[in-house]
Amino acid sequence: MASAAKTRRLCRGTAVDRLSNLPGNVIDLILEPLPVRDIARMSIFSKRWRDVLVLHPHLVFDDLFFEPLLSKKDSEKDTQAQVSEISRIISNILLVHTGPISTFHLFIPQDLPLHRCVDTDFWIRNISNRVQKLKLLNKPFTMYKIPLYLFSCLKLTHLHLTNCILNPPLRFRGFCNLLSVELEDVVIRADMSFGTQLEKLELTVCTGIKHLGCQFTYKNNLTRLIITDCGEFDFEWFECIQKVEFLAVRGVLNSRNELINWNKLFANFPRINTLGIDGFFLESVEPGAAVLERPITTLEKYLVFVRFDEMVHVQHNFCLIKSFPNLRHLYIVQDCEVSSSDEADLLDFMAFSADMILEKLEIVEIRGVVGSRAELQLIKLLLACTPRLRRIELEKDITVDAKEELRISRELLQIPRASTSSQIIWN
């Protein structure tokens, strides 16, 4: 017995350290989804893992990181103590970190004003020469003014900012390697460009986008452009995005206050695959220019926010749809209910469009359905002109009660379909 026990002890002493023998890429995959504090704890598992935090490429200080650190506070003094303590923890991690940083994600809670702390500027300075993906989500009401160190991030490839102020230095000509930019509630205070390598640009509720004129030149490589609720935008900039494949514009007015010639506009998008527009866009068309001279054969997905009580919206919308012969996915969001005074004209137009055939359309989604006659005629038209339709998904408006829902369901069952395999999904 004693000999067997001794043998087991010797075996344990010479056992292979399986953690130490794991390949580096496997260790990165294990650590990537873990919070930073858990990675620090794991450094005691084996000798090879002692420096894992020092070289870990993903530094994520998100809401999961802050949750255990935030305690119930009873005074402003408690808040300041928490800010100091959390700032010290993040600063210490960055001070010992010596390797490249693939991802730096900083979430600033609404009730923890870290953006007022000078350490926040220090953190950006610390990572400026080695970070690739920077995500800064500032939740407090006060905007965070991005320090000038950000504009010297030569290795930066992805940038995501929320509730911040961008004030680039004079003669800033853009980033060298930046591929993706997402800005939400961001104020741009001076002329700037994100660089000619940029492929993805998303602007949501941003002000000062007039300063981005330097971005929209014929040298740009944008393939994805989303602009939502950003006030005025110079529509002439669309002439410079000939590589765009995904374009979505909503809540944006033409800063030049001019009508759009759709034939000229779509001639600039030879690669477009997905298009999303709203009523402002539909209303800004030159009279008589709603029908495209050439079909857009590359477009497969179309998202539109339309008002059924606006005849111009509906007419221009159908003119566009008829110009997309390879359309596969149609997504319609209704902004408001159709008024009874406009229904007659709308129904006449839909009868005029009854000869429309959408050979490739497979999926239709309509949101905000209230069960008006105009909506049912639209659904009837789509079901009649789509021989390959697989399903049409309808989502009722929150104002629809149980009685109206039953009436709509019965009427939907009576609508004939061009494709016997098509389904109507009523939610």
Side-chain angles (χ1 to χ4, degrees):
M1 291 291 294
S3 177
K6 183 177 180 180
T7 302
R8 286 194 297 271
R9 287 196 298 270
L10 289 174
C11 290
R12 285 196 296 267
T14 58
V16 177
D17 185 349
R18 297 184 183 277
L19 291 176
S20 296
N21 289 334
L22 287 174
N25 61 333
V26 175
I27 294 177
D28 289 341
L29 290 174
I30 295 174
L31 297 179
E32 184 174 354
L34 296 178
V36 174
R37 76 174 180 280
D38 290 343
I39 296 175
R41 292 171 182 171
M42 292 179 70
S43 63
I44 66 174
F45 284 175
S46 68
K47 293 180 180 179
R48 185 180 174 185
W49 287 43
R50 287 179 181 174
D51 295 331
V52 69
L53 180 60
V54 176
L55 300 175
H56 184 56
H58 304 285
L59 299 180
V60 179
F61 305 100
D62 56 5
D63 50 344
L64 296 178
F65 170 82
F66 284 99
E67 185 176 353
L69 298 175
L70 294 176
S71 59
K72 186 177 180 180
K73 53 184 181 296
D74 299 321
S75 64
E76 184 68 22
K77 184 177 180 180
D78 293 335
T79 301
Q80 293 301 322
Q82 282 186 331
V83 170
S84 299
E85 177 64 16
I86 295 176
S87 296
R88 183 185 63 81
I89 294 173
I90 298 177
S91 296
N92 288 342
I93 292 175
L94 290 176
L95 285 173
V96 301
H97 195 284
T98 58
I101 300 175
S102 175
T103 303
F104 182 80
H105 179 176
L106 177 61
F107 172 86
I108 302 180
Q110 184 172 341
D111 54 352
L112 195 70
L114 283 175
H115 61 290
R116 299 178 185 175
C117 181
V118 294
D119 286 345
T120 309
D121 291 356
F122 165 76
W123 300 336
I124 295 180
R125 179 181 181 181
N126 182 285
I127 66 173
S128 61
N129 63 341
R130 38 192 188 126
V131 66
Q132 291 182 322
K133 299 179 181 180
L134 174 60
K135 187 175 184 178
L136 197 159
L137 306 182
N138 178 40
K139 294 303 180 179
F141 296 110
T142 305
M143 285 187 163
Y144 172 57
K145 184 177 180 180
I146 298 295
L148 295 180
Y149 307 122
L150 173 73
F151 300 95
S152 62
C153 295
L154 300 180
K155 297 181 179 179
L156 193 64
T157 60
H158 294 73
L159 177 64
H160 186 171
L161 302 177
T162 298
N163 197 27
C164 296
I165 297 174
L166 278 177
N167 193 7
L170 291 175
R171 299 179 182 177
F172 176 70
R173 296 184 178 180
F175 299 89
C176 299
N177 300 296
L178 196 56
L179 300 175
S180 173
V181 172
E182 295 182 53
L183 304 182
E184 183 177 356
D185 290 316
V186 170
V187 176
I188 304 172
R189 289 187 172 175
D191 293 344
M192 68 171 296
S193 167
F194 294 108
T196 57
Q197 301 301 314
L198 192 68
E199 298 176 355
K200 174 184 175 182
L201 178 60
E202 295 188 18
L203 306 172
T204 304
V205 197
C206 294
T207 57
I209 61 174
K210 63 182 180 181
H211 294 297
L212 295 180
C214 300
Q215 181 66 51
F216 294 90
T217 66
Y218 288 101
K219 295 181 180 180
N220 81 79
N221 288 287
L222 282 173
T223 60
R224 182 182 179 92
L225 177 61
I226 301 176
I227 308 173
T228 306
D229 297 329
C230 291
E232 294 186 346
F233 181 85
D234 191 341
F235 281 13
E236 284 198 359
W237 292 351
F238 287 139
E239 298 179 6
C240 305
I241 54 173
Q242 297 187 0
K243 295 182 180 180
V244 70
E245 298 174 2
F246 187 112
L247 175 63
V249 182
R250 186 186 182 195
V252 178
L253 300 176
N254 190 352
S255 61
R256 295 179 178 269
N257 197 26
E258 298 174 353
L259 296 178
I260 303 174
N261 184 307
W262 274 0
N263 288 291
K264 180 181 178 181
L265 178 67
F266 282 98
N268 298 313
F269 309 142
R271 303 181 184 179
I272 191 165
N273 173 270
T274 303
L275 174 66
I277 59 176
D278 66 350
F280 289 112
F281 205 92
L282 292 170
E283 291 176 356
S284 59
V285 183
E286 289 182 357
V291 179
L292 297 181
E293 296 175 356
R294 295 181 180 180
I296 311 300
T297 58
T298 58
L299 197 133
E300 297 182 355
K301 297 180 181 179
Y302 178 48
L303 164 64
V304 60
F305 292 82
V306 62
R307 292 183 56 178
F308 281 129
D309 62 344
E310 290 288 343
M311 190 60 189
V312 173
H313 286 200
V314 178
Q315 183 176 1
H316 288 181
N317 185 42
F318 269 94
C319 288
L320 275 182
I321 293 176
K322 293 171 71 173
S323 301
F324 304 147
N326 293 320
L327 185 66
R328 298 181 183 273
H329 191 161
L330 174 61
Y331 192 108
I332 300 175
V333 180
Q334 184 177 196
D335 280 350
C336 66
E337 183 179 356
V338 181
S339 64
S340 58
S341 60
D342 294 324
E343 275 198 13
D345 294 335
L346 185 59
L347 296 178
D348 289 341
F349 175 76
M350 290 185 176
F352 170 77
S353 304
D355 59 343
M356 180 174 64
I357 301 295
L358 302 174
E359 292 281 355
K360 302 290 184 67
L361 191 60
E362 298 178 354
I363 301 174
V364 175
E365 298 181 56
I366 304 178
R367 299 290 182 256
V369 176
V370 296
S372 65
R373 290 179 55 208
E375 289 173 330
L376 294 172
Q377 286 291 337
L378 170 63
I379 297 169
K380 182 178 180 180
L381 173 63
L382 290 173
L383 287 171
C385 69
T386 51
R388 294 190 182 182
L389 187 68
R390 291 192 286 112
R391 72 176 186 271
I392 178 167
E393 299 182 11
L394 309 174
E395 183 179 285
K396 63 179 180 294
D397 188 80
I398 58 175
T399 60
V400 176
D401 56 23
K403 184 178 180 180
E404 277 294 293
E405 184 176 353
L406 180 60
R407 178 188 66 82
I408 298 171
S409 300
R410 289 175 176 173
E411 295 198 35
L412 291 175
L413 291 174
Q414 299 174 2
I415 299 178
R417 312 171 194 185
S419 173
T420 56
S421 61
S422 61
Q423 294 180 323
I424 299 179
I425 301 175
W426 171 238
N427 299 317

